[in-house]
């Protein structure tokens, strides 16, 4: 693991840890959005989740990071039973979630956004060092450190949101449609960035509508349709699958 | 300028400083917890009784009575959150208003039972000071300075600490806070304690200027709510500035008429501003 994303001294978590979901049911009140999802992400892997709008991709990430509790099924990260862990303790276990639409604090500066990302006691002790690493990764953020986050371009806001998530020195990064709403050239930058992050050894679980692009970045992917896993496989297999090509790659 | 008018203006600014504290406290709690503490002025009233009791009855030195007032009212804010607000966080806003309104009557009733309805005076006053052509009450000037120090400390807390930054963040987006490792319930508790401490500080500054009785909250509670709405509910800077505007209106209005008249002017100004700028004077 490179210096840029090293958890640094003083953090309790051991490297590695497999994220494993099985038979996950979840929803909103009476509405069920996920029906028995099984998913596995090994340490160091980059895994994609694709599927049409409303398939339950965002819900899936929110279940993993504890914002929604599953109504059935098991959810583990390494030795840890996530279903029994309060959501706000997950960042210190090494799980970081960049939510859909970034959800930056627009009225706070870039650096203040990073500071909120380092709220956990374990992260506070390493604030300066990790902030500098985020600035190494995104020199643009360093230039704009005192600018209000809401005044930046979409691509810059996405970098800031990823930087904020990296402040807890995660072992796994959950990304929800990081390329949504960005201009094509910026989309390319975001995917380059995801590639860099994973090359540095961080485990990545990424949700995308941009299927063609994401399959070039991840090792494996799951196709979600109406709350169920409709297909899964290695990226190369999925790209070659005629059904996938027809539905998601506009292909022949 | 007429030196009496100038004096009224200066007094208005001094008054604004004291109004600013409860406005900041109320806005802080509302911004973070999203619940209006209708009984805020009554928390201040209890703090005023605490100072009065410790100083005149228990014989404590005044500074010790002041120092005790802050944690006492802060604790009261914590208890209010734990036992009244927290159970109603998911309830409709009207239930929250009714519940904190109930606490208002509870506190008035409790203080009436314990201390009866007599007006209690601390009986301390600092000599007036002559500045140029005008006289300024030493007590009011000291209260104003203390209010500014309190506001500056609050600002530094919100600006420079992790918890303060999280407080400013949570006011905008509570749902994502756990992703940052923040337990919103803990932030609510801290904001309630800080809101209570601000009420405690306001109590110290008011008890040297006003006699305390169970209904003293009526003499500054309504104006505090008007200030918060004028500044934009939850907008701390807006509330702070609106406090000075209201202080000046009340003081200068009182210069031409009675105190009652000055409150009528303040209320009329309030009504005009909420029609002209429903989201507050400083809304963008
Ligand atoms: N907060 C919510 N309350 C109720 N239903 C929701 C909520 N969020 C999403 N849903 C529903 O859950 C389903 C899955 O949504 P989502 O996970 O956002 O899908 P995706 O991210 O794949 O577009 C959709 O039918 C959506 O309407
Ligand atoms: Mg989504």
């Amino acid at each position: 693991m490179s210096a840029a994303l090293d958890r640094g001294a003083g953090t309790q978590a051991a490297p590695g840890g497999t994220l494993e979901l099985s038979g996950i049911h979840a929803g909103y009140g009476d509405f069920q959005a996920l029906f028995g999802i099984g998913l596995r992400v090994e340490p160091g892997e980059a895994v994609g989740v694709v599927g049409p709008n409303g398939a339950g991709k965002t819900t899936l990430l929110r279940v993993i990071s504890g914002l929604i509790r599953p109504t059935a099924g098991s959810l583990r990260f390494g030795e840890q039973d996530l279903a029994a862990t309060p959501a706000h303790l997950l960042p210190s276990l090494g799980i970081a979630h960049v939510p859909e639409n970034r959800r930056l604090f627009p009225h706070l500066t870039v650096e203040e956004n990073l500071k909120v990302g380092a709220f956990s006691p374990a992260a506070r002790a390493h604030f300066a060092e990790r902030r500098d690493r985020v600035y190494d990764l995104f020199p643009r953020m360093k230039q704009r450190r005192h600018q209000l986050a809401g005044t930046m371009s979409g691509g810059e806001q996405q970098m800031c949101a990823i930087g904020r998530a990296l402040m807890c020195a995660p072992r796994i990064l959950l990304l929800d449609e990081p390329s949504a709403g960005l201009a094509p050239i910026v989309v390319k930058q975001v995917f380059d960035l995801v590639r860099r992050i994973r090359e540095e050894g961080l485990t990545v679980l990424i949700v995308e509508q941009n299927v063609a692009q994401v399959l070039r970045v991840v090792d494996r992917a799951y196709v979600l349709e109406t709350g169920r896993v409709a297909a899964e496989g290695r990226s190369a297999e999925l790209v070659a699958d005629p059904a996938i090509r027809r539905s998601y790659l506009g292909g022949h | 300028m007429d030196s009496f008018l100038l004096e009224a203006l200066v007094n208005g600014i001094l008054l604004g400083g004291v109004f600013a504290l409860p406005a900041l406290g109320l806005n802080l709690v509302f911004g973070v917890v999203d619940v209006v503490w209708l009984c805020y002025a009554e928390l201040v009233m209890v703090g005023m009784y605490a100072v009065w009791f410790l100083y005149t009855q228990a014989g404590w030195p005044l500074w010790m009575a002041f120092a005790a007032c802050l944690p006492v009212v802060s604790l009261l804010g914590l208890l209010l959150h734990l036992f009244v607000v927290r159970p109603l966080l998911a309830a409709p806003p009207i239930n929250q208003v009714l519940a904190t309104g109930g606490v208002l009557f509870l506190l008035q009733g409790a203080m009436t039972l314990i201390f009866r309805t007599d007006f209690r005076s601390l009986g301390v006053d600092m000599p007036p000071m002559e500045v140029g052509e005008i006289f300024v009450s030493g007590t009011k000037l000291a209260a104003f300075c203390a209010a500014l120090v309190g506001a500056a400390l609050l600002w530094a807390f919100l600006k420079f600490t992790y918890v303060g930054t999280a407080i400013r963040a949570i006011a905008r987006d509570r749902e994502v806070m756990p992703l940052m490792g923040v337990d919103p319930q803990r932030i609510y508790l801290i904001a309630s304690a800080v809101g209570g401490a601000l009420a405690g500080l306001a109590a110290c500054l008011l008890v040297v200027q006003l006699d305390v009785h169970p209904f003293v909250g009526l003499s500054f509670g309504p104006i505090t709510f008007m200030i918060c709405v004028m500044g934009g509910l939850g907008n701390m800077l807006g509330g702070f500035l609106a406090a000075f505007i209201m202080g000046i209106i009340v003081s200068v209005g009182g210069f031409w008429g009675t105190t009652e008249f000055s409150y009528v002017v303040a209320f009329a100004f309030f009504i005009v501003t909420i029609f002209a700028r429903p989201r507050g004077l400083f809304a963008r």
Side-chain angles (χ1 to χ4, degrees), chain B residues 240-263:
Chain B
F240 185 75
L241 297 175
F244 288 92
I245 296 177
M246 272 306 203
I248 291 170
I249 289 175
V250 168
S251 177
V252 175
F255 167 71
W256 275 302
T258 59
T259 314
E260 286 72 24
F261 173 74
S262 72
Y263 278 80

Side-chain angles (χ1 to χ4, degrees), chain A residues 28 31 33 52-59 62 100:
Chain A
Y28 303 88
F31 178 81
N53 238 329
K57 306 181 296 295
T58 296
T59 306
R62 301 173 82 200
E100 191 169 32

